[in-house]
């Protein structure tokens, strides 16, 4: 008798359109509840959410039909997170709903452009010095004209539009780091990236934006250890330690104030510990399944759609849903790791891991800071919190992870193959 061979089971691909249908139903249902939670139905909040759903379908249909893409897992996660943020923001501040939608739309457009750009590695290498120069120029302008908000000089207002240059520099930092260290064998590249990193982190120190400086510092570490484990990596690690020491020294008084409250928020619940204690009480009162959208109390306290939005969501949507949000960022990180293994070059691997690490670490800083597990730094949750430049930078960072997926550029390979066959 012939022996039977054990063949590995075939894994069926995700039905992206089925997932999109489920996501759309979820978004419309929660959007309707959020718009109805006040004294009157807030049509602006619901219409903004409806526009997002339409945008999602247009995106899926266009890239499915025109570019034959089948890998929409990352977009599904980003749309899910953006939708949750839009529903929450619309339920708290209905007038801000369309503003948030347009920032999501701008982020999606930037994401599409950057994904196409990243498909051409040679062009990215040529753009590296220009991107680095533009990032440094942005930081210089920030230092020169930015006003002070909550103790940090990280916001610029031009022609009535307020934006945060450091959010765009996040994207440039990953781009320049990945493009520079793709060929780390040259000492010139190492020194260039160290200098660029010192300028970025040093500028954030001068702005007194500790949270963002810490995010840049961790991203630097990720990029450094994505390289080979030789003496050059050790040099990068030493440089990162020096930058970390500089941050601590510069922010000595600030850090001491934060740590004096850290793990002691209940000692001063009406002062320095007010924000965390209110969030903790809200999360406890919400339980596993929440009190319902619009029925919470955290939304009535400080920064309900920015720093404290995780508390609003946990109280009203439930702790289980809050955990799902955090796991969404873990899923993005796992996707980046898997994509980087089979990516076309080291540029994609470094950029994908650095981008996913940045998003996951920023999420952790917010969630653990607002719940007093870590000192509160005042950073927002990617894709969810209110903020235009933050939303655009999050989608741009997601493009690095998308670019590492070999399925993203299958149409480029097909086009080249058809061109060669036509020439014959």
């Amino acid at each position: 008798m012939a022996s039977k061979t054990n063949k590995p089971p075939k894994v069926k691909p995700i039905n992206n359109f089925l997932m999109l249908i489920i996501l759309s139903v979820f978004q419309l249902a929660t959007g309707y509840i959020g718009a109805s939670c006040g004294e009157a139905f807030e049509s602006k909040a619901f219409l903004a959410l409806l526009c997002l759903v339409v945008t999602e379908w247009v995106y899926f249909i266009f890239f499915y039909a025109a570019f034959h893409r089948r890998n929409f897992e990352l977009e599904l996660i980003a749309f899910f997170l953006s939708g949750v943020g839009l529903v929450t923001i619309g339920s708290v501040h209905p007038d801000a709903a369309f503003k948030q939608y347009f920032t999501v739309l701008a982020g999606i457009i930037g994401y599409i452009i950057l994904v196409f750009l990243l498909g051409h590695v040679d062009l990215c290498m040529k753009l590296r010095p220009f991107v680095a120069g533009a990032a440094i120029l942005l930081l210089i302008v920030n230092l020169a004209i930015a006003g002070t908000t909550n103790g940090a000089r990280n916001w610029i207002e031009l022609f009535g539009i307020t934006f945060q240059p450091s959010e765009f520099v996040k994207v440039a930092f990953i781009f320049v780091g990945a493009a520079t260290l793709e060929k780390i064998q040259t000492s010139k590249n190492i020194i260039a990236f160290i200098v660029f990193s010192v300028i970025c982190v040093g500028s954030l120190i001068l702005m007194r934006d500790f949270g963002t400086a810490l995010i840049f510092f961790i991203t630097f570490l990720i990029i450094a250890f994505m390289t080979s484990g030789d003496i050059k990596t050790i040099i990068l690690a030493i440089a990162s330690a020096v930058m970390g020491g500089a941050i601590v020294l510069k922010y000595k008084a600030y850090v001491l104030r934060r740590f004096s409250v850290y793990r002691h928020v209940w000692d001063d619940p009406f002062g320095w510990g007010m924000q965390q204690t209110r969030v903790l009480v809200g999360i406890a009162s919400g339980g596993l399944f929440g009190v319902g959208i619009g029925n919470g109390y955290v939304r009535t306290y400080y920064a309900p759609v920015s720093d404290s939005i995780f508390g609003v969501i946990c109280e009203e949507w439930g702790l289980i849903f809050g955990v799902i949000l955090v796991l969404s960022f873990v899923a993005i990180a796992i996707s980046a790791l898997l994509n980087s293994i089979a990516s076309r070059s080291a540029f994609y691997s470094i950029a994908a891991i650095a981008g996913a690490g940045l998003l996951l670490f920023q999420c952790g800083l917010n969630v653990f800071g607002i719940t007093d597990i870590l000192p509160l730094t005042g950073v927002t949750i990617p894709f969810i919190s209110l903020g235009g430049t933050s939303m655009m930078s999050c989608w741009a960072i997601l493009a690095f992870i998308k670019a590492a997926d070999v399925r993203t550029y299958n149409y480029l390979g097909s086009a080249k193959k058809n061109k060669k066959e036509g020439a014959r």
Side-chain angles (χ1 to χ4, degrees):
M1 293 177 65
S3 60
K4 295 182 179 180
T5 58
N6 294 324
K7 294 183 179 180
K10 292 183 179 180
V11 179
K12 293 183 179 180
I14 296 175
N15 188 325
N16 290 290
F17 280 96
L18 176 60
M19 295 297 294
L20 185 58
I21 290 172
I22 296 172
L23 177 61
S24 299
V25 172
F26 168 78
Q27 289 176 331
L28 291 173
T30 54
Y32 181 83
I33 296 171
S36 307
C37 67
E39 296 180 358
F41 183 78
E42 296 291 348
S43 58
K44 289 183 289 187
F46 185 73
L47 286 174
L49 196 280
L50 183 61
C51 288
L52 177 62
V53 173
V54 172
T55 302
E56 293 167 359
W57 278 94
V58 170
Y59 177 91
F60 266 65
I61 293 171
F62 176 75
F63 282 98
Y64 187 93
F67 296 96
H68 308 289
R69 285 189 186 165
R70 303 295 184 267
N71 56 325
F72 293 104
E73 299 86 359
L74 282 174
E75 289 91 335
L76 282 167
I77 296 174
F79 285 141
F80 166 68
L81 294 172
S82 299
V84 171
L86 184 55
V87 171
T88 307
I89 292 166
S91 69
V92 178
H93 298 304
D95 292 336
F98 264 107
K99 178 183 177 182
Q100 184 73 355
Y101 163 70
F102 285 121
T103 60
V104 175
L105 182 62
I108 294 171
I109 294 172
Y111 167 81
I112 293 170
I113 294 171
L114 189 54
V115 167
F116 275 104
L117 174 65
L118 293 172
H120 307 278
V121 179
D122 293 337
L123 178 59
C124 291
M125 298 302 133
K126 294 176 182 177
L127 290 175
R128 179 189 61 187
F130 300 102
V131 173
I136 293 172
L137 181 61
L138 263 179
L139 292 172
I140 292 173
V141 172
N142 193 144
L143 287 169
I145 67 175
T148 302
T149 304
N150 296 326
R153 298 172 54 199
N154 55 354
W155 291 92
I156 293 178
E157 183 175 350
L158 291 176
F159 307 109
I161 300 175
T162 304
F163 65 98
Q164 197 171 356
S166 60
E167 292 294 336
F168 297 126
V169 178
K170 283 180 185 176
V171 183
F173 190 78
I174 295 173
F175 184 95
V176 173
T180 302
L181 298 182
E182 190 205 15
K183 299 179 180 178
I184 194 170
Q185 290 80 7
T186 63
S187 299
K188 182 180 178 181
N189 283 356
I190 300 173
I191 295 172
F193 181 58
I194 290 176
V195 171
F196 179 66
S197 302
V198 169
I199 292 173
C200 290
V201 177
S203 298
L204 291 167
I205 291 174
L206 293 176
M207 295 175 199
R208 300 186 62 80
D209 189 354
F210 176 75
T212 306
L214 186 58
I215 291 170
F216 272 72
F217 174 64
I218 295 299
T219 306
F220 177 90
L221 284 177
I222 292 172
I223 294 175
F225 286 99
M226 274 295 292
T227 60
S228 58
D230 57 7
I231 188 64
K232 296 170 184 177
T233 302
I234 296 174
I235 293 172
L236 288 174
I238 293 173
S240 67
V242 172
M243 287 193 297
I247 292 173
V248 173
L249 291 175
K250 177 66 180 179
Y251 282 95
K252 185 177 180 181
Y254 177 83
V255 171
L256 286 176
R257 283 202 303 273
R258 288 293 187 185
F259 273 92
S260 67
V261 180
Y262 172 55
R263 306 302 296 170
H264 297 283
V265 294
W266 294 105
D267 296 341
D268 189 15
F270 299 102
W272 280 93
M274 178 179 287
Q275 191 174 5
Q276 292 103 314
T277 54
R278 297 304 181 271
V279 167
L280 289 171
V281 169
I283 293 174
S285 64
L288 294 178
F289 303 103
V291 297
I293 300 175
N295 298 325
Y297 291 98
V298 178
R299 62 172 49 230
T300 63
Y301 295 109
Y302 177 73
V305 294
S306 53
D307 296 0
S308 304
I309 195 169
F310 184 74
V312 175
I313 292 171
C314 285
E315 182 183 21
E316 299 182 1
W317 303 54
L319 181 60
I320 292 177
F321 192 83
V323 172
I324 291 173
L325 290 184
V326 175
L327 291 178
S328 297
F329 290 97
V330 175
I332 291 175
I334 293 174
S335 175
L337 180 62
L338 295 176
N339 291 343
S340 67
I341 295 173
S343 62
R344 295 187 296 159
S345 76
F347 170 72
Y348 293 117
S349 298
I350 295 172
I353 297 297
L358 187 154
L359 293 175
L360 183 61
F361 181 71
Q362 183 172 331
C363 172
L365 275 184
N366 178 279
V367 172
F368 296 141
I370 204 64
T371 53
D372 200 34
I373 297 174
L374 291 175
L376 184 65
T377 57
V379 299
T380 56
I381 300 185
F383 296 105
I384 297 175
S385 298
L386 178 67
T389 45
S390 174
M391 180 65 74
M392 288 186 277
S393 74
C394 289
W395 276 96
I397 291 169
L398 195 72
F400 292 118
I401 306 171
K402 182 75 171 182
D405 190 343
V406 293
R407 298 172 296 171
T408 300
Y409 302 109
N410 280 341
Y411 70 93
L412 289 177
S414 300
K416 290 179 180 178
K417 183 178 179 180
N418 293 335
K419 187 176 180 181
K420 289 181 179 179
E421 290 178 354
R424 293 175 184 174

